[in-house]
Amino acid sequence: MSSPSTADLLIVDADVVTLDPARPRARAVAVSRGVVVDVGGDEVAERWRGSRTEVVTLGGAALTPGWVDGHSHPVGSLTMSAGADLTAVRTLDQLRERLAQLARESTDGWVQGWGLVPDVFPGGVPRADLVDDALGGALCLLRMADAHSALASTSLLRAAGVDGPRRFASTAEVICDATADGPRPTGFLLEWDAMALADRHAPSAPDAELRSRLRSLLGDMAAQGLVGAHVMDGDAASLDLLARTEDDGDLPLRLRVAPFCMPGVDDDDVAQLVAWQERTGRRWRVAGVKLMIDGTIDGGTAWLDHADANGESTGSYWRDPQAYARAVRALDAAGVPTVTHAIGDGGVRFVMDVLEPLGPPVPADSAPGRRAAHRLEHLETLPDDLVTRIGRSGITASMQPTHCSHFVAADGSDNWSVRLGPERAGHGWRIRDLLGAGALVVLGSDWPVAHFDARAIMAAAQLRRPVEDDDAAPVGPDQAISAVAALTGYTRAPALAVGDAARGVIRVGAAADLTAVGVDPTTAPPADLAAAPVVLTVVGGAPVHRTL
Ligand SMILES: [Zn+2]
């Protein structure tokens, strides 16, 4: 391929933050065929401008490597957020009123909702009999805010044939009351396998609607500066949906999808997951596999070294954790990097025991093998020994700063802190310590569990409180990270985590995935970053969002 003499895209009058130590700052960037071909001062424009060059003048706005959300569920969120948004509902009366209204308006006899917090129910325990009579006979499925549990109406339980406890390969549970007639489901369904019993009866939106909702969501993400996301769920249906959505036109950003490997997996399932690694579109590809070793601390389903204050969170999501280990080793042998949701210290310890002997990834220019490090998601509470171990191991840590800043109270009064007690809660979201121990730390949102706005998340990583709430006390302020570390967590770190050294940096030869924002994210006060407009998003050399 001959080298180009003119650029397809020139970005000038920019405050370029390259994250390249050899040239940290620049004023202009030239792009050709999706690759950065020059970085420098005003001379770049003179050198590369041609008759067909698109020129974007940033007027002094900052240009950084493109932002990548290291943990997101854009496709899964289409079903996770089916129906009415219940995130603002705070009392049982409000919920019942809302459900009655939704039931009256329903045209298919169904009511669905999402984002409901358990505190709406007495004792924080969702029960169908507290809402059944408000539904006027409609079938109802409410997905809780933690995305790990759901409430099915009694009518839905009946339609789904769920009339008692079930046993799964996972420790998911159909929660039941003990009655004189034996155990009776309350409607509360804990973790994936139990939720699936109700999920598969719920009507899904028509394909065209799913495609347009996905495209519009991805467009919103690109408009907020994201050039890519690591997608932490997937199955045959969601991969097909991505392919069909791309048939309608290029996706607004790049997606790397790690499909699920769930308890109960057999050799054929593992072979399928390996075969899926070949699936790729223009801006999406399957890369890696997602597993979950535990659930959540709030739900009492995490795996802690020692039980929580309620005597819960004592074991794996896998009824047989050794089956998890076998699946991971089989995937590793096939060259597939794994990503494991590991929230409690006991779960992290178990996963580290499995991953450490598998060793580091092989370099891109050597024989076939696994190209990226295995990876741990969430890591909500870690004792010192695990921080040190993760730092030494080369295993990637993936953290979501707004889970800490938005769902936990500094005074320890929230459910998460109460369950863990002060010492373990004090060891929450140790981002700074992990970086200090040498770990590669990827940052992300876990959308739709928290919002995907990278500016607010980078701000929260620095503040350890919601950037929009000046009065909130910081949670674990000693774990606040610098502005540069926050930006790195959204740029260079996710690139290195997937073994892609040509991204997450602005230098000659790097992929032209770029984000421009009104203020310099490495020097602006966090609140200014959160409020700054994203003025340009470039994916593969093509502007996908532009306000200038
Ligand atoms: Zn997630």
Side-chain angles (χ1 to χ4, degrees):
M1 194 163 72
S2 64
S3 51
S5 56
T6 60
D8 304 323
L9 176 67
L10 267 175
I11 302 170
V12 299
D13 193 15
D15 182 7
V16 185
V17 179
T18 66
L19 297 184
D20 175 12
R23 175 167 198 154
R25 294 277 166 171
R27 297 292 300 166
V29 173
V31 173
S32 177
R33 297 172 186 161
V35 174
V36 172
V37 291
D38 203 357
V39 181
D42 296 337
E43 77 286 355
V44 169
E46 287 154 35
R47 198 179 295 154
W48 292 94
R49 191 191 302 260
S51 56
R52 286 191 306 203
T53 302
E54 179 176 5
V55 181
V56 181
T57 303
L58 285 189
L63 183 72
T64 76
W67 303 344
V68 174
D69 190 327
H71 188 126
S72 187
H73 302 278
V75 185
S77 75
L78 299 181
T79 43
M80 282 189 228
S81 61
D85 177 352
L86 302 176
T87 51
V89 173
R90 284 292 170 270
T91 68
L92 187 57
D93 283 343
Q94 282 170 8
L95 177 64
R96 290 170 51 85
E97 217 167 279
R98 191 75 200 285
L99 294 179
Q101 179 205 351
L102 291 165
R104 280 195 302 274
E105 292 167 357
S106 170
T107 53
D108 60 1
W110 269 88
V111 169
Q112 294 190 71
W114 59 278
L116 186 62
V117 293
D119 300 349
V120 162
F121 296 91
V125 182
R127 295 186 60 90
D129 55 13
L130 296 174
V131 297
D132 280 336
D133 62 323
L135 289 163
L139 302 171
C140 174
L141 180 57
L142 305 178
R143 293 173 178 88
M144 306 302 290
D146 66 0
H148 283 257
S149 57
L151 180 65
S153 63
T154 302
S155 53
L156 173 53
L157 291 175
R158 204 173 298 130
V162 180
D163 54 7
R166 296 283 178 96
R167 189 179 165 88
F168 307 100
S170 70
T171 53
E173 252 186 287
V174 174
I175 304 294
C176 291
D177 284 333
T179 74
D181 305 326
R184 288 266 298 275
T186 65
F188 192 43
L189 305 169
L190 197 54
E191 295 295 342
W192 295 82
D193 285 331
M195 291 156 69
L197 296 173
D199 253 330
R200 50 178 164 257
H201 288 267
S204 73
D207 188 62
E209 186 191 323
L210 287 176
R211 292 200 313 267
S212 86
R213 277 174 60 203
L214 179 58
R215 177 167 296 282
S216 125
L217 171 64
L218 298 179
D220 289 347
M221 290 178 172
Q224 296 195 23
L226 294 176
V227 300
H230 296 175
V231 179
M232 291 295 157
D233 67 288
D235 56 19
S238 66
L239 299 180
D240 289 344
L241 177 63
L242 278 172
R244 289 196 305 276
T245 305
E246 198 169 57
D247 287 344
D248 302 337
D250 281 343
L251 302 180
L253 72 170
R254 301 181 195 280
L255 300 176
R256 299 177 65 92
V257 183
F260 270 139
C261 175
M262 287 298 209
V265 66
D266 62 19
D267 291 349
D268 289 346
D269 299 327
V270 170
Q272 173 69 266
L273 288 162
V274 173
W276 275 345
Q277 304 297 311
E278 305 290 320
R279 284 197 71 171
T280 176
R282 295 190 297 280
R283 284 194 179 147
W284 69 276
R285 57 168 301 189
V286 175
V289 163
K290 167 83 182 298
L291 303 100
M292 295 172 51
I293 199 62
D294 63 356
T296 69
I297 287 167
D298 276 312
T301 53
W303 184 357
L304 295 167
D305 280 337
H306 307 286
D308 70 12
N310 296 5
E312 295 182 325
S313 278
T314 54
S316 174
Y317 180 55
W318 295 61
R319 215 166 261 291
D320 173 13
Q322 290 308 326
Y324 162 89
R326 285 192 296 274
V328 166
R329 286 194 286 262
L331 290 162
D332 178 82
V336 179
T338 63
V339 171
T340 299
H341 165 121
I343 280 188
D345 46 9
V348 173
R349 198 178 297 286
F350 180 85
V351 174
M352 289 296 290
D353 287 346
V354 175
L355 296 183
E356 272 175 329
L358 302 177
V362 299
D365 53 0
S366 73
R370 177 169 50 83
R371 300 291 187 213
H374 292 296
R375 180 167 150 171
L376 295 161
E377 304 298 307
H378 307 311
L379 304 165
E380 288 189 4
T381 177
L382 291 176
D384 292 346
D385 68 299
L386 282 175
V387 172
T388 308
R389 220 173 131 183
I390 293 166
R392 266 204 313 253
S393 68
I395 290 162
T396 303
S398 168
M399 310 286 284
Q400 297 73 40
T402 42
H403 289 196
C404 156
S405 62
H406 284 65
F407 300 142
V408 171
D411 65 4
S413 62
D414 59 288
N415 179 44
W416 185 92
S417 303
V418 169
R419 277 180 178 263
L420 285 181
E423 186 182 341
R424 290 183 295 189
H427 282 162
W429 290 280
R430 297 178 69 176
I431 302 177
R432 188 188 179 97
D433 287 344
L434 283 164
L435 287 169
L440 181 67
V441 179
V442 172
L443 300 181
S445 68
D446 204 7
W447 167 262
V449 177
H451 199 271
F452 54 76
D453 186 343
R455 294 162 294 186
I457 294 170
M458 286 189 263
Q462 298 170 61
L463 295 171
R464 303 285 289 193
R465 63 164 172 82
V467 63
E468 64 274 14
D469 186 357
D470 284 333
D471 297 331
V475 179
D478 55 324
Q479 296 301 324
I481 60 172
S482 72
V484 173
L487 180 63
T488 302
Y490 255 91
T491 53
R492 192 63 176 152
L496 295 177
V498 300
D500 189 350
R503 286 181 210 280
V505 62
I506 300 178
R507 65 178 171 222
V508 174
D513 291 354
L514 306 163
T515 302
V517 61
V519 300
D520 176 352
T522 65
T523 57
D528 292 359
L529 170 60
V534 170
V535 295
L536 177 71
T537 311
V538 174
V539 175
V544 294
H545 161 77
R546 183 176 170 177
T547 63
L548 295 171

